[in-house]
Amino acid sequence: MNVFFTVIGFLLFGYLGFWIWYRNRPAYSVPSRFPVEWKELLQKHVHFYQNLNEKEKRRFEKNIRNFLKQVRITGIKVEVTDLDRLLVACSAAIPLFGFPSWKYNYLHEVLLYPASFDRNFSMDNPEEVITGMVGSGRNMDGVMVLSKKSLHNSFGNTSDKHNVGIHEFIHILDKQDGEIDGIPGELNNKEYAKPWLRLMRREMQRIRKGKSDIDAYAATSEEEFLAVASEYFFERPKLFQQKHPDLYKTLRKVYHQDMKRRLRNPFRKPRRIGRNDPCPCGSGEKFKYCCMKN
C-alpha cells in the first residue's frame, strides 16, 4: 500500500512539474547568439537602439534575449514575426535599461492582436478602441494584450509622444511593488512619494483645464498619468524637458536615464550593410567573412 501511494505521489509530482513547465515554457526558441538579422531590424526600426554605443547595444541585446526567454509572445489571429518579438522586447527593455539587472515579475505572456480591440477582446466594436492593456483576474493575471498594428506604429513614429508597448510595460513596472498606483518603486519611500504625488496631481489639474500638452488620458487616474508621462519622456525627451522640467527631472531619477542626452541623434534609416563593412556582431571581422556566411 505504501508503495502504491508513493508511486501515485511521484506521478502527481511529475504531472505538477510538467504542468508548471508547460505553462511557463517559452513559445519561441531563443538563439544562443544574437542573430545579425535581429541587429539589422533593431537598427532599422528602434530609435533607442540607434543611439546606443557598441557596448550598450550588446547589453541591450542581452536584455532582449533574457526577456524572450522568460515571456511568451502569442499571436491571436495573426502571425508573430521576429520583428514583432523584438518590438515587444524593446518595449520591455527600454524603461529598465538604466538598471544593471532587471526582470518583470508579474508577466508571463504577451498576446498580440492584429488591431485594436474592446474589453471583451472583440475586434468588431467601433465604440471601444483599446490598443493595449494589462490583464487581471484569474485567467488574465500576468498577461499583457497589445495591438500589433499600434505596436508597429509606435516605433515607426518617434514624434508623437506615444508608444503603446512602453505604456503597458510601465504599468507592469508600476506593479513590481505589488500594486499599480502611479508611484514607481524608486519613489515608494514617503520622502520621495509625497513630492511626486503633489507634482503629478498638479499636472493632472492642468491637463483637465486644457493647459498641458500631455495627453488627456493621463488625467483619468494616477496610474495612467505615470504611463502616459513616461511615454512622453522616452519618445520626446527634449520637448518633455522644455515643457515639464520638474517631471523630467523626477522621471530621469526613476528610470536612471537622461533620455534627452541619450536620444541625441534623430531617427534614421541606415544603409544596407556592405560586404566589406565591419560585421555588426562586433567580431572585428568584415561582414563577408563573418555573419554574411551564415
Side-chain angles (χ1 to χ4, degrees), residues 178-223:
E179 184 179 6
I180 301 179
D181 55 7
I183 305 176
E186 285 288 295
L187 303 178
N188 269 337
N189 185 299
K190 290 183 180 180
E191 178 184 356
Y192 301 107
K194 288 183 179 179
W196 166 250
L197 287 170
R198 286 196 297 268
L199 181 62
M200 176 169 56
R201 289 165 182 168
R202 183 169 69 243
E203 192 61 34
M204 289 173 73
Q205 284 297 109
R206 294 184 70 245
I207 294 171
R208 292 175 183 132
K209 293 177 181 178
K211 296 181 179 181
S212 174
D213 70 331
I214 297 176
D215 191 286
Y217 188 56
T220 59
S221 66
E222 292 171 352
E223 56 265 33

Side-chain angles (χ1 to χ4, degrees), residues 106-111 117 119 121 130 132-146 168-169 171-172 175 180:
Y106 289 92
L107 184 70
H108 63 79
E109 185 169 22
V110 175
L111 303 180
F117 46 89
R119 70 189 66 193
F121 305 107
I130 300 174
M133 66 180 296
V134 175
S136 60
R138 182 178 179 182
N139 296 324
M140 293 297 293
D141 193 37
V143 177
M144 179 186 295
V145 188
L146 293 172
E168 298 306 327
F169 275 101
H171 284 318
I172 298 291
K175 193 179 179 181
I180 301 179

